[in-house]
């Protein structure tokens, strides 16, 4: 089958290749991929940013989102049948959405939301799971709380805004002026144009900040939190909790704590907390999220769609910051190249 594989950890390390179809274990469903989407995590894994913790053996197929049709089920699979339309964020070390077929553990798969096309569904799994796990599992967001979401027009931000609003939070976001109409339509109550205003000068008393920018932006985010508030970053620096989540040796936790020592010290001095976040595959959560898409509480935001043969061009488009809003989808249409 045709797939886009990482041959070596490098910004130019991915290429198209002919690889064997995946083997199907007893707990696996084999999915014929209809569409996938591009995530910043694809670049990070390709570049080897997590290679000490996520030990992929090169060459491996890249791609963290999948929507498609079940073509085979393992002997122990229950609840899925050939012909089912499904979506998933396959678990770490078993990714591979940039391919014609992928075998996925049944626990990571969920029925595709009925209201979404397969291409729309491909934009959803990673960002929707991240939104759920940040807001519900980690921060336990309650009605009336104040949440700041950076980069609200992005794939993650646009999803988190909607879910935070559904949970009853007052939502602020940073965005470009030309994205204000979009983010307000998604549920943002306060929009700060980061090109003209310093969010840390106009916002205060927040329960939660979700940072996807890092650096100085993360440090300033700590100052808008109320005492006991929580800043969560998806770009780092990582902490010991990340190493523990991935089952790494204890010394890796110590290394991660050194990397995040500065920001954790700053947080402590302000009476707030800092945590790094790395989402996990979860089919049962995707079922709950699917119901929210079908009820209209959530909707995917898609910037543009590339054909499968242009997967590397789609990655470059995202890396170059050309996305105006939402996700970039890659669809399995015939490659005319």
């Amino acid at each position: 089958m045709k797939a886009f594989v990482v041959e070596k950890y490098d910004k130019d390390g991915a290429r198209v290749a002919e690889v064997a179809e995946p083997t199907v274990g007893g707990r696996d469903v084999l999915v014929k991929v209809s569409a996938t989407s591009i995530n910043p995590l694809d670049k990070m894994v390709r570049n080897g940013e997590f290679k000490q913790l996520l030990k992929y053996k090169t060459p491996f197929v890249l791609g963290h989102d999948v929507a498609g049709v079940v073509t085979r089920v393992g002997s122990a699979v229950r609840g899925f049948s050939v012909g089912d339309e499904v979506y998933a964020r396959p678990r770490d070390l078993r990714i591979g959405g940039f391919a014609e077929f992928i075998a996925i553990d049944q626990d990571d798969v969920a029925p595709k939301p009925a209201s979404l096309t397969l291409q729309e569904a491909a934009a959803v799994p990673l960002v929707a799971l991240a939104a759920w796990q940040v807001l519900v599992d980690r921060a336990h967001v309650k009605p009336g709380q104040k949440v700041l979401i950076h980069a609200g027009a992005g794939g993650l931000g646009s999803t988190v805004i909607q879910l935070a609003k559904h949970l009853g939070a007052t939502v602020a976001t940073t965005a470009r002026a030309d994205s204000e109409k979009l983010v307000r339509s998604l549920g943002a109550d306060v929009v700060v144009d980061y090109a003209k205003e310093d969010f840390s000068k106009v916002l205060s008393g927040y329960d939660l900040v979700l940072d996807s920018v890092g650096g100085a932006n993360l440090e300033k985010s700590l100052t808008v939190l109320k005492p006991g508030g929580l800043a969560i970053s998806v770009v780092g620096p990582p902490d010991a909790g990340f190493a523990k989540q991935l089952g790494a040796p204890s010394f890796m936790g110590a290394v991660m704590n050194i990397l995040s020592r500065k920001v954790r010290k700053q947080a402590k001095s302000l009476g707030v907390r800092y945590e790094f976040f790395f989402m996990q595959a979860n089919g049962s959560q995707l079922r709950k999220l699917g119901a929210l898409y079908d009820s209209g509480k959530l909707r995917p935001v898609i910037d543009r769609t590339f054909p499968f043969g242009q997967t590397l061009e789609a990655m470059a488009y995202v890396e170059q910051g050309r996305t105006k809003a939402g996700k970039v989808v890659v669809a399995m249409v015939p490659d005319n190249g």
Side-chain angles (χ1 to χ4, degrees):
M1 68 174 183
K2 193 175 181 182
F4 287 85
V5 302
V6 175
E7 284 194 312
K8 59 180 179 177
Y9 287 122
D10 184 73
K11 66 181 176 63
D12 299 315
R15 69 173 182 88
V16 65
E18 283 290 330
V19 301
E21 267 192 35
T23 55
V24 181
R27 294 177 45 81
D28 295 344
V29 294
L30 184 68
V31 177
K32 187 179 195 308
V33 180
S34 298
T36 180
S37 68
I38 310 296
N39 293 287
L41 184 56
D42 297 313
K43 177 193 80 169
M44 298 164 88
V45 168
R46 181 202 64 197
N47 291 356
E49 291 184 30
F50 299 125
K51 64 184 178 184
Q52 299 304 320
L53 293 168
L54 291 173
K55 297 186 182 298
Y56 288 99
K57 291 192 178 82
T58 55
F60 63 91
V61 183
L62 200 56
H64 290 80
D65 278 324
V66 176
V69 180
V70 175
T71 59
R72 202 184 324 161
V73 297
S75 58
V77 170
R78 302 291 177 267
F80 293 102
S81 303
V82 171
D84 288 350
E85 293 186 333
V86 296
Y87 72 147
R89 189 292 206 191
R91 64 188 57 185
D92 298 311
L93 303 181
R94 293 200 63 185
I95 63 169
F98 298 172
E100 293 178 292
F101 292 90
I102 181 173
I104 313 172
D105 189 287
Q106 63 177 344
D107 287 349
D108 302 345
V109 182
K112 176 190 72 67
S115 61
L116 302 184
T117 66
L118 283 160
Q119 290 187 22
E120 289 170 335
V124 166
L126 186 146
V127 292
L129 284 170
W132 184 276
Q133 290 167 16
V134 165
L135 297 176
V136 178
D137 295 345
R138 283 278 189 100
H140 311 293
V141 169
K142 304 286 191 298
Q145 288 189 316
K146 292 168 66 176
V147 176
L148 167 60
I149 298 152
H150 286 295
L156 178 60
S158 61
T159 309
V160 181
I161 288 173
Q162 295 177 75
L163 185 58
K165 197 66 187 174
H166 170 66
L167 294 171
T170 296
V171 178
T173 192
T174 54
R176 292 191 299 251
D178 59 2
S179 299
E180 179 170 357
K181 185 176 179 183
L182 169 68
V183 295
R184 287 198 182 277
S185 76
L186 297 173
D189 301 290
V190 179
V191 182
V192 178
D193 178 353
Y194 61 76
K196 294 180 181 174
E197 279 189 295
D198 180 345
F199 71 89
S200 66
K201 299 282 196 295
V202 295
L203 302 177
S204 62
Y206 277 71
D207 297 276
L208 173 69
V209 178
L210 177 61
D211 172 64
S212 56
V213 181
N217 194 79
L218 172 58
E219 293 174 22
K220 285 200 294 187
S221 293
L222 299 174
T223 68
V224 309
L225 290 166
K226 72 179 190 183
L230 175 62
I232 293 178
S233 176
V234 296
V235 293
D239 56 17
F242 176 45
K244 185 178 180 183
Q245 177 182 327
L246 295 183
S250 57
F251 79 88
M252 286 303 298
V255 170
M256 297 294 146
N257 267 349
I258 290 169
L259 293 175
S260 58
R261 183 166 56 191
K262 180 185 174 188
V263 69
R264 288 185 297 106
K265 188 176 178 183
Q266 289 172 321
K268 189 174 181 182
S269 70
L270 292 166
V272 300
R273 296 168 292 143
Y274 166 76
E275 291 179 7
F276 176 68
F277 172 79
F278 192 82
M279 59 79 56
Q280 294 177 287
N282 192 312
S284 64
Q285 289 181 351
L286 280 178
R287 289 174 185 267
K288 294 175 186 174
L289 287 156
L292 293 177
Y293 281 95
D294 283 341
S295 68
K297 299 287 194 300
L298 301 177
R299 62 180 169 94
V301 178
I302 295 173
D303 180 83
R304 63 171 289 189
T305 301
F306 285 78
F308 179 59
Q310 293 179 19
T311 298
L312 297 183
E313 289 87 341
M315 282 192 72
Y317 177 88
V318 173
E319 286 179 60
Q320 292 159 8
R322 294 163 66 191
T323 312
K324 291 185 175 62
K327 294 290 295 290
V328 168
V329 170
V330 173
M332 293 293 179
V333 296
D335 181 14
N336 298 318

Short mmCIF file of all heavy atoms in Angstrom, two decimals, residues 31 103 179 216 236 243 271 282 295 316:
data_model
loop_
_atom_site.label_atom_id
_atom_site.label_comp_id
_atom_site.label_asym_id
_atom_site.label_seq_id
_atom_site.Cartn_x
_atom_site.Cartn_y
_atom_site.Cartn_z
N VAL A 31 -8.78 -0.51 9.06
CA VAL A 31 -9.56 0.59 8.50
C VAL A 31 -8.97 1.02 7.16
O VAL A 31 -7.75 1.28 7.06
CB VAL A 31 -9.58 1.79 9.48
CG1 VAL A 31 -10.33 2.98 8.86
CG2 VAL A 31 -10.21 1.39 10.81
N ALA A 103 -4.26 -0.55 10.98
CA ALA A 103 -4.85 -1.42 11.99
C ALA A 103 -4.83 -0.68 13.32
O ALA A 103 -3.78 -0.19 13.75
CB ALA A 103 -4.05 -2.72 12.09
N SER A 179 -9.87 36.92 12.41
CA SER A 179 -10.49 35.69 12.93
C SER A 179 -11.54 35.96 13.99
O SER A 179 -12.16 35.02 14.49
CB SER A 179 -9.41 34.77 13.53
OG SER A 179 -8.47 34.40 12.56
N ALA A 216 7.62 33.09 26.07
CA ALA A 216 7.15 34.26 26.82
C ALA A 216 5.63 34.27 26.95
O ALA A 216 5.09 34.77 27.94
CB ALA A 216 7.63 35.54 26.14
N GLY A 236 4.96 22.61 25.81
CA GLY A 236 6.05 22.45 26.76
C GLY A 236 6.40 23.74 27.47
O GLY A 236 5.78 24.77 27.24
N ALA A 243 6.46 12.13 31.54
CA ALA A 243 7.27 10.91 31.53
C ALA A 243 6.50 9.75 32.16
O ALA A 243 6.50 8.62 31.65
CB ALA A 243 8.58 11.15 32.27
N GLY A 271 1.52 31.74 43.03
CA GLY A 271 0.42 31.02 43.68
C GLY A 271 -0.48 30.29 42.72
O GLY A 271 -1.66 30.05 42.99
N ASN A 282 -8.45 7.46 23.02
CA ASN A 282 -9.55 7.04 23.88
C ASN A 282 -10.84 6.95 23.07
O ASN A 282 -11.50 7.95 22.81
CB ASN A 282 -9.73 8.02 25.05
CG ASN A 282 -10.66 7.51 26.12
OD1 ASN A 282 -11.75 7.04 25.83
ND2 ASN A 282 -10.24 7.61 27.38
N SER A 295 -25.20 16.65 18.01
CA SER A 295 -26.21 17.53 18.60
C SER A 295 -25.99 19.00 18.23
O SER A 295 -26.78 19.86 18.61
CB SER A 295 -26.21 17.39 20.13
OG SER A 295 -25.01 17.91 20.67
N ALA A 316 3.73 20.85 4.97
CA ALA A 316 4.49 22.09 4.79
C ALA A 316 3.59 23.31 4.92
O ALA A 316 3.98 24.32 5.52
CB ALA A 316 5.19 22.07 3.43
#
